[in-house]
């Protein structure tokens, strides 16, 4: 894992003191809420329906045990004993007192964490692949690039007041576990000859106008990636729409200009910028790389797993993924218990997972955009012990990528933007489909719920998506089918008129019945939908 | 409270600025004002005779002026570059980093707050046009000169 040097630490420490000063001015009445709002938003502090919410950055979703423990401490000391992992691989605390926020940030800074740029119209937390460094088919480890971009984007002076927020993702495998093409900019690291560089995608995103980002460059070499990104952002900063918040994301600019014209403008800007010496020397990426070098794996370990306990075997089949080192495995920890709140973890669970990471996963864990956690380096021989501990803590659900593995935004229970409650619906759905056999039979089925058009719950990218809207003061749920955030990215289509909360649960059951009746050998729900189209589903729902 | 802030040696320009359109149309003015949304590159043929460029910020959240400033500096403009309009204390540092060297905000700034802001961050991560050595250059002094 990356460790701060004295430069990184001093920048984060200075931010804590700056924010402490701003909060004191607010509490003393020297700043009005209107004046304070932009300042707190630059630091991830939102005023929600019931309290302040603090969003803490988890850069590219990577945490050490020590950092995870600190999050547990914050949950216990300053919140109501739990935290919420988000689709941006960050964590949110929903019951924060303003006066405590500077102390929380000071405590986070002691474990090299911060809340910088977790909100505001700036470059947000860089996201990456939760299997980075352990995926067998990786071209290179994307995390050093993500760290380079984290530093470059931190307090970038030109891009702090963009038309709208800006999300960047870096991956390095053909399989896309991070919804890369639904980011404002997606980088896919590729090899050309001996050289590593990036394929660049721009103008993807969800929200009210979802778009799958088109490719704008097939290769940017390592030592030109910063000026190239600056060119992309400069064109956006100058020409992105500022007249309408809902048309201000880069996807609208790329769409309105057309991909070719946007590309042309970026190339023109890039030609000017690449000679300015903006890119750190290669030695900087070389300095960062060893922090992410392979940990000291034990050699000659057995790949045998004793599958004697059937519940354990079920969990292994679902939650454990292939590691590139013999004798090791990747463990996915589900934060989606039946009837639970997707992405929530209690302080005790956070502590337990920190302990597991320390004892069994070479001190590392990851957060996924599907609101689950990952232990990336687990010896196969330890799997049973880990499973037992997870099971005791209510964390041994075996539903990765199944219908019970629901993504849901906080919704109207917390969020001031929401039109509908996502959480109670997620709970009802997970109870309706609670049976492990039924879930297994339905196979991979990504169900994603957003409580408003902003799409934090990624409903456009769900095999089945749900969008909560407000219809004359009553919560109403639209149903979408056929989305995907993976390498076969696509946007879901609305089935038709919306439903009540119970109505949408029934409708989804009908949808799954059609799938079971129509599927061909080996087809996932998404494959069947793509083959037979919307019509049979629509007939079953509305007929 | 401070109504005008300059980081330049010598007197600030007193010349009234004209619009980009009238500047590029007539040739005797040496001061121009760029509104948000106007293209700073239109001024590039005239940089030698300019002594003042004002960049207007209609709202502090409108960040187009940062790009305008940096474009001018990248093209070698060495005259006064003044941020005017809705300029708040928290924007002084990023504006300095993009090449602004004087400030005439709509509302006066608190001197002490400006002082604190200017000295808050000893280090920066990016190379821009203000000559500050980014952290990566300090980390590799043997490779990155200057």
């Amino acid at each position: 894992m990356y460790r701060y040097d004295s430069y990184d630490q001093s920048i984060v420490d200075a931010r804590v003191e700056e924010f402490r000063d701003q909060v004191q001015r607010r509490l003393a009445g020297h700043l009005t809420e209107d004046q304070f709002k932009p300042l707190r938003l630059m630091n991830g502090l939102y005023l929600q329906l019931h309290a302040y919410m603090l969003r803490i950055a988890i850069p590219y979703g990577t945490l050490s045990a020590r950092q995870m423990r600190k999050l547990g401490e914050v949950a216990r000391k300053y919140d109501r004993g739990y935290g919420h992992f988000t689709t941006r691989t960050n964590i949110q605390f929903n019951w924060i007192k303003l006066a405590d926020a500077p102390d929380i940030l000071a405590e986070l800074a002691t474990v090299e964490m911060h809340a910088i740029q977790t909100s505001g119209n700036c470059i947000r937390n860089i996201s990456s692949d939760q299997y980075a460094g352990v995926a067998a088919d990786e071209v290179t480890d994307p995390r050093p690039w993500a760290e380079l971009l984290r530093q470059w984007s931190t307090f970038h002076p030109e891009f702090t007041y963009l038309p709208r927020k800006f999300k960047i993702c870096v991956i390095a495998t053909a399989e896309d576990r991070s919804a890369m093409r639904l980011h404002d900019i997606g980088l896919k690291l590729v090899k050309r000859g001996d050289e590593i560089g990036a394929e660049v995608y721009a103008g993807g995103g969800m929200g009210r106008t979802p778009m799958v980002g088109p490719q704008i460059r097939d290769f940017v070499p390592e030592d030109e990636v910063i000026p190239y990104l600056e060119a992309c952002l400069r064109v956006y900063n100058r020409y992105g729409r500022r007249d309408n918040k809902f048309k201000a994301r880069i996807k609208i600019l790329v769409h309105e200009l057309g991909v070719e014209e946007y590309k042309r403008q970026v190339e023109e800007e890039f030609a000017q910028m690449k000679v300015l010496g903006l890119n750190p020397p290669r030695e900087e990426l070389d300095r960062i790389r060893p922090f992410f070098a392979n940990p000291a794996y034990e050699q000659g370990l057995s790949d045998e797993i004793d599958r004697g306990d059937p519940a354990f075997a079920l969990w292994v089949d679902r939650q454990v993924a292939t590691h590139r080192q013999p004798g090791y495995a990747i463990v996915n920890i589900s934060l989606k218990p039946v009837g639970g709140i997707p992405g929530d973890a209690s302080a005790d669970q956070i502590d337990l997972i920190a302990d597991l990471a320390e004892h069994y996963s070479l001190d590392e864990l990851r957060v996924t955009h599907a609101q689950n956690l990952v232990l990336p380096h687990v010896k196969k021989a330890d799997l049973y012990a880990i499973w037992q501990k997870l099971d005791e803590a209510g964390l041994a659900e075996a539903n990765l990528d199944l219908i019970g593995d629901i993504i849901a935004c906080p919704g109207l229970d917390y969020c001031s933007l929401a039109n509908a409650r996502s959480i109670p619906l997620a709970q009802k759905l997970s109870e309706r489909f609670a049976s492990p056999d039924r879930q297994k039979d339905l196979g991979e089925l990504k169900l994603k719920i957003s409580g408003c058009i902003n799409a934090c719950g990624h409903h456009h990218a769900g095999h089945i998506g749900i969008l909560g809207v407000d219809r004359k003061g009553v919560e109403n749920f639209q149903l979408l089918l056929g989305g995907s955030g993976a390498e076969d990215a696509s946007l879901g289509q609305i089935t038709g008129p919306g439903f009540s909360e119970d109505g949408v649960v029934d409708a989804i059951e009908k949808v799954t019945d059609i799938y079971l009746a129509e599927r061909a050998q080996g087809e996932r729900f998404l494959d069947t939908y793509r083959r037979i189209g919307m019509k049979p589903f629509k007939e079953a729902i509305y007929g | 409270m401070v109504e005008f802030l300059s980081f330049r040696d010598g007197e600030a320009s007193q010349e009234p600025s004209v619009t980009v359109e009238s500047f590029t149309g007539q040739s005797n003015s040496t001061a121009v004002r760029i509104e948000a949304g106007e293209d700073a590159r239109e001024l590039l043929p005239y940089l030698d005779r300019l002594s003042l460029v004002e960049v207007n910020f209609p709202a502090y959240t409108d960040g187009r002026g940062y790009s305008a400033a940096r474009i001018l500096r990248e093209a070698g403009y060495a005259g006064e570059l003044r941020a005017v309009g809705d300029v708040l204390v928290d924007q002084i540092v990023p504006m300095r980093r993009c090449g602004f060297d004087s400030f005439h905000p709509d509302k006066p700034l608190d001197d002490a707050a400006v002082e604190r802001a200017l000295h808050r961050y000893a280090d920066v991560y990016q190379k821009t046009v203000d000559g500050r050595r980014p952290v990566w250059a300090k980390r590799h002094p043997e490779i990155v000169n200057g």
Side-chain angles (χ1 to χ4, degrees):
Chain A
M1 277 193 55
Y2 185 71
R3 295 302 307 266
Y4 285 1
D5 67 3
S6 59
Y7 296 113
D8 301 311
Q9 189 68 52
S10 86
I11 288 170
V12 168
D13 289 344
R15 181 66 184 124
V16 173
E17 287 319 304
E18 183 177 40
F19 191 63
R20 192 183 290 285
D21 180 54
Q22 290 165 346
V23 169
Q24 274 161 5
R25 276 149 63 204
R26 172 72 188 114
L27 291 172
H30 300 150
L31 291 175
T32 64
E33 168 54 22
D34 272 358
Q35 291 168 320
F36 179 59
K37 186 178 173 186
L39 304 177
R40 63 171 166 76
L41 281 182
M42 296 302 275
N43 219 21
L45 193 66
Y46 287 75
L47 188 53
Q48 294 288 54
L49 291 174
H50 312 293
Y52 283 99
M53 179 273 276
L54 179 64
R55 182 182 296 147
I56 294 161
I58 302 177
Y60 35 94
T62 299
L63 286 167
S64 67
R66 187 171 75 116
Q67 291 174 322
M68 185 70 162
R69 244 176 236 122
K70 182 59 80 179
L71 296 176
E73 205 181 308
V74 170
R76 204 170 271 121
K77 198 164 155 189
Y78 299 104
D79 199 276
R80 295 188 177 174
Y82 58 93
H84 177 76
F85 290 96
T86 76
T87 52
R88 292 279 305 142
T89 76
N90 293 318
I91 188 168
Q92 295 180 179
F93 291 103
N94 283 311
W95 302 98
I96 295 300
K97 291 189 189 73
L98 177 58
D100 288 337
D103 291 337
I104 299 172
L105 294 177
E107 291 204 32
L108 290 168
T110 65
V111 296
E112 302 173 16
M113 293 184 80
H114 60 75
I116 295 166
Q117 289 168 217
T118 55
S119 52
N121 292 335
C122 51
I123 304 169
R124 302 289 190 89
N125 188 28
I126 309 292
S127 49
S128 187
D129 181 358
Q130 66 265 27
Y131 293 173
V134 291
D137 59 338
E138 186 168 88
V139 168
T140 185
D141 190 334
R143 290 171 300 168
W145 289 64
E147 175 58 28
L148 192 81
L149 296 183
R150 181 190 75 81
Q151 297 188 22
W152 159 73
S153 60
T154 298
F155 304 134
H156 196 295
E158 187 177 340
F159 308 126
T160 301
Y161 297 96
L162 295 167
R164 201 74 180 84
K165 57 190 170 183
F166 204 92
K167 300 170 181 178
I168 300 177
C169 177
V170 196
I171 65 170
T173 55
E175 199 176 326
D176 179 2
R177 283 171 284 265
S178 318
M180 180 271 288
R181 290 185 67 189
L182 295 168
H183 284 72
D184 295 284
I185 285 189
L187 300 179
K188 181 178 167 192
L189 304 183
V190 292
K191 207 166 206 172
R192 179 183 274 185
D194 288 336
E195 202 179 9
I196 303 279
E199 272 176 16
V200 184
Y201 297 81
M206 294 190 250
R208 71 179 60 205
T209 318
M211 307 256 186
V212 175
Q215 193 186 95
I216 58 162
R217 249 266 189 158
D218 62 358
F219 195 81
V220 180
E222 179 180 314
D223 40 18
E224 293 183 348
V225 73
I226 297 295
Y228 188 78
L229 289 175
E230 296 220 3
C232 292
L233 272 140
R234 179 175 283 176
V235 172
Y236 170 57
N237 190 42
R238 300 183 78 203
Y239 300 112
R241 286 181 61 173
R242 291 173 186 267
D243 60 323
N244 180 343
K245 184 182 169 185
F246 302 117
K247 296 185 188 295
R249 296 286 290 269
I250 191 178
K251 62 192 172 190
I252 303 292
L253 176 70
V254 173
H255 183 71
E256 287 182 354
L257 285 178
V259 186
E260 289 309 314
E261 176 58 17
Y262 176 71
K263 266 165 71 168
R264 189 193 65 73
Q265 294 190 17
V266 168
E267 291 297 332
E268 205 173 274
E269 199 66 60
F270 176 55
Q272 315 256 355
M273 297 184 91
K274 71 178 174 187
V275 298
L276 299 173
L278 303 178
N279 214 84
R282 285 190 174 222
E283 285 75 5
E284 177 59 4
L285 201 52
D286 291 344
R287 180 191 74 87
I288 296 172
R289 246 182 222 114
F291 288 106
F292 299 99
N294 281 344
Y297 294 122
E298 283 179 42
Q299 302 298 319
L301 294 178
S302 163
D303 275 318
E304 282 295 301
I305 299 172
D306 179 357
R307 300 168 54 90
D309 184 330
F312 168 66
L314 192 74
W315 177 82
V316 168
D317 290 342
R318 203 66 240 163
Q319 300 297 118
V320 174
T322 308
H323 195 288
R324 67 180 175 204
Q325 179 71 21
Y328 282 81
I330 303 168
V331 168
N332 286 278
I333 300 173
S334 172
L335 296 181
K336 318 291 177 64
V338 173
I341 298 175
D344 268 19
S346 70
D348 290 344
Q349 288 176 329
I350 289 174
D351 284 350
L352 170 80
I353 295 166
D355 289 345
L356 293 177
E358 185 168 24
H359 298 307
Y360 296 110
S361 182
L362 303 171
D363 200 27
E364 223 192 298
L365 63 107
R366 313 275 175 84
V367 185
T368 80
H369 84 276
Q371 303 176 285
N372 291 312
L373 299 173
V374 169
L375 299 173
H377 315 284
V378 169
K379 280 188 239 173
K380 286 183 179 162
D382 290 332
L383 284 171
Y384 192 65
I386 290 172
W387 173 76
Q388 285 179 309
K389 291 188 167 111
L390 289 172
D391 195 33
E392 273 171 38
L395 290 165
E397 205 64 50
N399 59 5
L400 184 72
D401 296 336
L402 301 182
I403 195 167
D405 186 10
I406 299 168
I407 291 182
C409 70
L412 197 53
D413 291 293
Y414 296 100
C415 179
S416 55
L417 301 173
N419 297 125
R421 289 167 301 154
S422 314
I423 291 170
L425 177 57
Q427 290 169 315
K428 270 190 186 165
L429 279 162
S430 90
E431 275 158 10
R432 177 73 65 94
F433 291 94
S435 154
D437 290 340
R438 190 175 183 192
Q439 289 201 45
K440 198 174 163 190
D441 185 34
L442 287 171
E444 183 184 304
L445 212 176
K446 298 186 180 181
L447 178 50
K448 310 187 182 189
I449 308 172
S450 304
C452 81
I453 196 84
N454 291 307
C456 297
H458 293 193
H459 64 275
H460 301 292
H463 298 178
I464 297 178
I466 301 171
L467 168 64
V469 296
D470 175 286
R471 213 182 55 185
K472 296 174 188 152
V474 181
E475 286 171 300
N476 188 264
F477 296 92
Q478 294 180 349
L479 186 59
L480 296 88
L481 303 178
S484 168
E487 59 282 1
D488 58 354
S490 61
L491 302 169
Q493 300 297 312
I494 295 176
T495 55
F499 305 88
S500 67
E501 189 178 282
D502 287 325
V504 79
V505 177
D506 292 339
I508 286 173
E509 191 152 41
K510 288 177 189 157
V511 164
T512 59
D513 288 343
I514 294 295
Y515 160 63
L516 292 176
E518 297 289 334
R519 71 177 164 191
Q521 183 71 31
E523 270 185 345
R524 302 170 301 163
F525 171 83
L526 183 63
D527 304 323
T528 303
Y529 171 82
R530 285 176 175 170
R531 180 171 56 80
I532 69 176
M534 177 68 92
K535 200 164 163 254
F537 294 100
K538 224 169 158 165
E539 281 167 5
I541 303 167
Y542 300 105
Chain B
M1 301 301 273
V2 48
E3 293 193 0
F4 182 78
L5 196 62
S6 174
F7 295 86
R8 295 180 66 80
D9 296 331
E11 289 273 301
S13 169
Q14 300 294 325
E15 190 175 350
S17 55
V18 301
T19 64
V20 172
E21 195 185 354
S22 53
F23 177 82
T24 51
Q26 66 179 36
S27 57
N28 56 0
S29 180
T30 62
V32 66
R33 173 179 162 119
I34 304 179
E35 299 297 335
E38 290 185 322
D39 185 0
R41 288 217 163 86
E42 284 188 31
L43 301 179
L44 297 192
Y46 313 102
L47 294 186
D48 287 348
R49 62 167 241 244
L50 273 170
S51 62
L52 170 65
V53 178
E54 288 188 335
V55 178
N56 185 36
F57 288 82
Y60 78 88
T61 49
D62 188 331
R64 285 177 284 189
Y66 294 89
S67 290
R70 209 172 150 206
I71 283 168
L72 291 172
R73 290 298 191 213
E74 283 170 2
Y77 174 63
E80 184 174 346
L81 189 52
R82 186 183 294 169
V84 304
D86 192 21
V87 175
L88 309 177
V89 66
D90 302 279
Q91 277 91 60
I92 300 292
V93 168
M95 285 177 174
R96 291 278 293 136
R97 299 226 59 219
C98 290
F100 287 105
D101 54 9
S102 73
F103 301 86
H104 192 186
D106 285 344
K107 291 184 195 129
L109 305 174
D110 178 69
D111 317 44
V114 171
E115 259 328 278
R116 278 202 304 275
L118 287 174
H119 297 102
R120 178 85 64 190
Y121 292 96
D123 287 298
V124 293
Y125 280 125
Q126 313 78 9
K127 180 175 175 185
T128 61
V129 289
D130 61 350
R132 290 180 76 177
R133 278 164 65 76
V135 163
W136 49 258
K138 294 183 179 181
R139 282 174 178 148
H140 305 282
E142 69 291 353
I143 298 151
V144 186
N145 301 317

